[in-house]
Amino acid sequence: MKQIPAPIWTLVIGVVVTLVSIWAGYNHHILPTEQASSTAPLVDNFFNVMVMIGTALFLMVEGAIVFSMIKFRQPKGDETDGLPIEGNLPLEAFWTAIPAVICIALGVYSVFVFQEMGGFAPGDHAHGHGTLMAQAPAAIVTDVGSPMITEGDIGGQKIPVYGFGASPEEEGNAPDLAVNVTGLQFAWVFTYPDSGITDGELHVPVGKDVQVNLTAQDVIHSFWIPQFRLKQDAMPGQTAELRFVPTKPGTYSIVCAELCGAYHGAMRTQVIVHTEEDFSHWLESRTATSPQSSQTVAINPAERSDADYLAAYSQGLDLDAQLVSQLAHSPH
Amino acid sequence: MVQATEAPTDAKLSLSALTDYSFPQKQWKWYDYFTFNIDHKVIGIQYLVTTFIFYLVGGMMAVAMRTELATPDSDFLNPTLYNAFITNHGTIMIFLWIVPAAIGGFGNYLVPLMIGARDMAFPKLNALAFWITVPAALLIFTSFLFGGAQAGWTSYPPLSLVTSNVAQSMWIVALILAGTSSILGSVNFIVTIINMRVPSMKWDQLPLFCWAMMATSLLALFATPVLAAAMILLLFDINFGTSFFRPDGGGNVVVYQHLFWFYSHPAVYLMILPIFGIMSEVIPVHARKPIFGYKAIAYSSLAICVVGLFVWVHHMFTSGTPPWMRIFFTVSTLIVAVPTGVKIFSWVATLWGGKIRYTSAMLFAISLLSMFVFGGISGVTLGTAPFDIHVHDTYYVVGHFHYVLFGGSVSGLYAGIYHWFPKITGRMMNEPLGRVHFLLNFIGGNLTFMPMHWLGGHGMPRRVAMYDPQFTHGNQLATIGAYILAVSVLPLIVNILWSLVKGEKASGNPWNAMTLEWTTSSPPPIENWAVLPVITRGPYAYGHVEEIPPAERPDLSDAIAMPK
Ligand code: HEM
Ligand SMILES: [Cu+2]
Ligand SMILES: [Cu+2]
């Protein structure tokens, strides 16, 4: 049989690697299929591209390794050395330049995605736009009476806000809904400054521009909604926010992603994305039943154990009563 | 070419060593290994043996953790013990296994032998550096009497300020000791490599392992003091009422993270650069080819070391970091992938056209290559802020760093063990057992750590003892893999013990290698060489068949006389 010429092989390998990489980019199954926020498709498309590039690189390098392992194994009884090749400048320049170009391109691409996600605008509204939001951090703090934050800390001074803010289209606009979120060992507490509601679950309307203002009472927690592809640490003494548009009604997990103590793994609740109609029903029902519930939060937890403190919420929170009663008093 | 009484078999490979085996070959007695001995070889062996024992302890913690994770509920370990295990497993693996085994163990044993020195520049300091790690380990182990530190190996405040104070303080002191040891070691390596090379060795004849040790030491020297500072501040916050990191006293929790990662990101290079050095030694020998791109490999270590100092915030993309930082560190992190890629490509090119011997050392080197490539690619995805926001602090990260640490660093250490065991002990290891070890390790490693990427992407955070039922299958695969890994160390241990006693006697140069450590007997005498070797060609001159005519043979007067 005639030998197949090298250029043909190169072409065939190139085509196969490209096809497999593109296929892998859409079929890696590493991310949940559910995309429930405006951010999710941005992140996923970006990741898919990285998977494609990564697969191509992976296949070529592993291919070269496996090929060498087979082709260049020591022939039986051959004790001589291989070829004395010490290097090849053009080749080395090539494989330095190609990854460098890929990495720079990825860098630029990630800046675009980051901007679309609102990464450049956390705290954006605080400069005189949404008046409500400007007070949000202070509101959280006084509500929960965090023992880890002194009043003076927040006072009148301008504090930096971290996280993801408004997307470019929404920049400068106040969000449609603001929710203050406090992490504490081992639960999330949600308060709605507009309506005074306090809850252990997050309720949001679909299609609206929502902003959560994050802080923590005791240790660092991290607020993560996998279906939204968004995460931000909730830190005692610092203010952070996440702003997003929920795009799909449903119930999704809210997970604490930062080690926060013994029951860190159990620190989870859910976000319920309502249709607009359902959301107003929910708002009405909650305002009717607990008009002043935010007051119940305004206790000083330093004087109470975690168990006492959490007991008040244990139905609302995604924590079972047994777990709550197990919580030892931890030194705040 | 050069006369040697018991020369390595192949004349063209006998190098320019001047090996006078008639000189009295004094060796240490077994009890010398338990003393404050200042011979770099004894210290190297002390490091390797003790750190291997620590590795087994850390491994047992991992097996216990994986057993807990076989089911969604917290039913095997109590949650505080689970957290103590993740914390100390991570700490032990990093500070008591990879770093001291690679730098302290192989670094000490090999660097003087590779550069033709009789010892390190500061032998007493060297012994001190080793003996400091012993109380560090004891502190970690005894801290379990006080509940064990439970805040993760990163020990972020305020959690580390409010949990398990005594054990946390012990953990901090242990880290300060380990850091001190690493600083002492670094100074020693830098001075040794610069000053103690045999006069005939030019910089471009320095084995790549020594280049890697040079880069590692510079990095450790820059970064470790910052860790020490962070640890001391944390210790004060816990015990002496200060509030550097206590928000209720006006402290800032994010500052700790900057200090910690300013050290601990470079620390990941401390864990991989020396291993890269091992790769550059093992691959050419067993592929019988010169290393491809010597300069590129040497300089890329230095590049990694410089750029690696400016990427630490990629661990803090979801923390209290402003937008510009998230972007700046995305870009710097992507850049660091380039020199790393250069190394990988160079090793693959070294295989290309070789005559590969599938020794156990080579199998582990290839295992490193193939797993590190995967871990490196997942690392690039993690380096970009927009994606990392989703997977930070999840099992995706755990999968990634085990690919680079277990698939990478540990495979490299194994390769090093199989490669230099004959030199260190004078006995060959058993190759079939080595292959069994390799197979179990490769299968177990991939089975344990591959499913973790899926788990993390789909919503399983790290450092949890309980998880949602939909993650059960993925976790069970990982747990089975972990059991295979636990079993995989048995053939290694059996192999080491059996070979020590029964292994075939090793010649001075069983692999026909070209670096200087192979020009002396196995094991080397206390003074390393009777008469120091003279260098006439680079360390990887495979395939160059030309014979040096007698007239051009090295001038023996170059050789340094034995100190009396
Ligand atoms: C032998 C097989 C190993 C298994 C089965 C294993 C398993 C685990 C598990 C289950 C965790 C906890 C993950 C989490 O929830 O965050 C973990 C964490 C970790 N492991 Fe391993 N591991 C192994 C080997 C290693 C090695 C060789 C290293 C090397 C340096 C290492 C370094 C770490 C580190 C740094 C952490 C993070 C600890 C922390 O979160 O504070 N592991 N490992
Ligand atoms: Cu948590
Ligand atoms: Cu890092």
Side-chain angles (χ1 to χ4, degrees), chain A residues 136-157:
Chain A
I140 309 168
V141 173
T142 41
D143 266 357
V144 189
S146 167
M148 279 291 196
I149 304 171
T150 51
E151 299 277 309
D153 257 339
I154 305 289
Q157 85 201 58

Side-chain angles (χ1 to χ4, degrees), chain B residues 538-549:
Chain B
Y540 311 105
Y542 300 99
H544 293 285
V545 277
E546 84 284 4
E547 185 64 34
I548 304 175

Side-chain angles (χ1 to χ4, degrees), chain A residues 65-322:
Chain A
I65 295 173
V66 172
F67 179 80
S68 312
M69 285 179 68
I70 297 166
K71 179 93 199 269
F72 301 117
R73 64 184 188 281
Q74 172 192 24
K76 259 218 165 60
D78 180 351
E79 292 298 327
T80 61
D81 290 346
L83 304 170
I85 311 166
E86 315 246 319
N88 179 333
L89 207 55
L91 186 60
E92 287 170 62
F94 176 77
W95 71 42
T96 311
I98 295 294
V101 169
I102 293 178
C103 286
I104 290 168
L106 270 185
V108 174
Y109 186 13
S110 57
V111 175
F112 282 114
V113 179
F114 190 73
Q115 183 180 27
E116 281 295 301
M117 291 167 73
F120 285 111
D124 145 73
H125 46 82
H127 310 294
H129 297 288
T131 44
L132 170 72
M133 279 306 93
Q135 303 146 3
I140 309 168
V141 173
T142 41
D143 266 357
V144 189
S146 167
M148 279 291 196
I149 304 171
T150 51
E151 299 277 309
D153 257 339
I154 305 289
Q157 85 201 58
K158 202 171 147 270
I159 18 160
V161 179
Y162 305 111
F164 282 81
S167 63
E169 309 88 72
E170 290 290 342
E171 220 172 314
N173 300 340
D176 299 326
L177 171 73
V179 186
N180 295 337
V181 182
T182 303
L184 65 152
Q185 285 174 323
F186 297 93
W188 296 106
V189 177
F190 301 89
T191 52
Y192 290 71
D194 288 345
S195 43
I197 296 172
T198 299
D199 206 312
E201 290 173 342
L202 176 60
H203 293 260
V204 292
V206 71
K208 285 282 160 43
D209 191 15
V210 179
Q211 174 173 317
V212 294
N213 300 301
L214 294 158
T215 191
Q217 169 177 289
D218 35 34
V219 301
I220 304 175
H221 304 272
S222 193
F223 181 89
W224 180 32
I225 305 178
Q227 274 72 16
F228 288 9
R229 315 284 192 273
L230 276 173
K231 183 185 292 122
Q232 171 60 43
D233 290 2
M235 299 162 286
Q238 312 261 345
T239 43
E241 70 182 33
L242 282 177
R243 194 160 156 180
F244 51 84
V245 179
T247 50
K248 208 172 154 196
T251 303
Y252 312 102
S253 293
I254 296 177
V255 180
C256 175
E258 179 65 54
L259 178 62
C260 57
Y263 293 93
H264 160 59
M267 180 168 167
R268 45 183 51 230
T269 178
Q270 44 203 1
V271 51
I272 295 127
V273 180
H274 294 280
T275 59
E276 237 180 287
E277 205 180 336
D278 283 351
F279 184 71
S280 41
H281 286 319
W282 176 80
L283 266 187
E284 272 164 35
S285 69
R286 289 307 309 259
T287 9
T289 53
S290 55
Q292 278 304 316
S293 60
S294 71
Q295 270 183 353
T296 55
V297 197
I299 46 149
N300 183 354
E303 291 161 10
R304 310 173 72 178
S305 74
D306 283 343
D308 295 339
Y309 181 63
L310 284 179
Y313 308 105
S314 54
Q315 311 99 315
L317 305 180
D318 195 25
L319 277 173
D320 59 283
Q322 190 206 353

Side-chain angles (χ1 to χ4, degrees), chain B residues 261 264-265 268 311-312 314-315:
Chain B
W261 287 113
S264 288
H265 185 82
V268 311
V311 300
W312 76 93
H314 64 212
H315 298 274

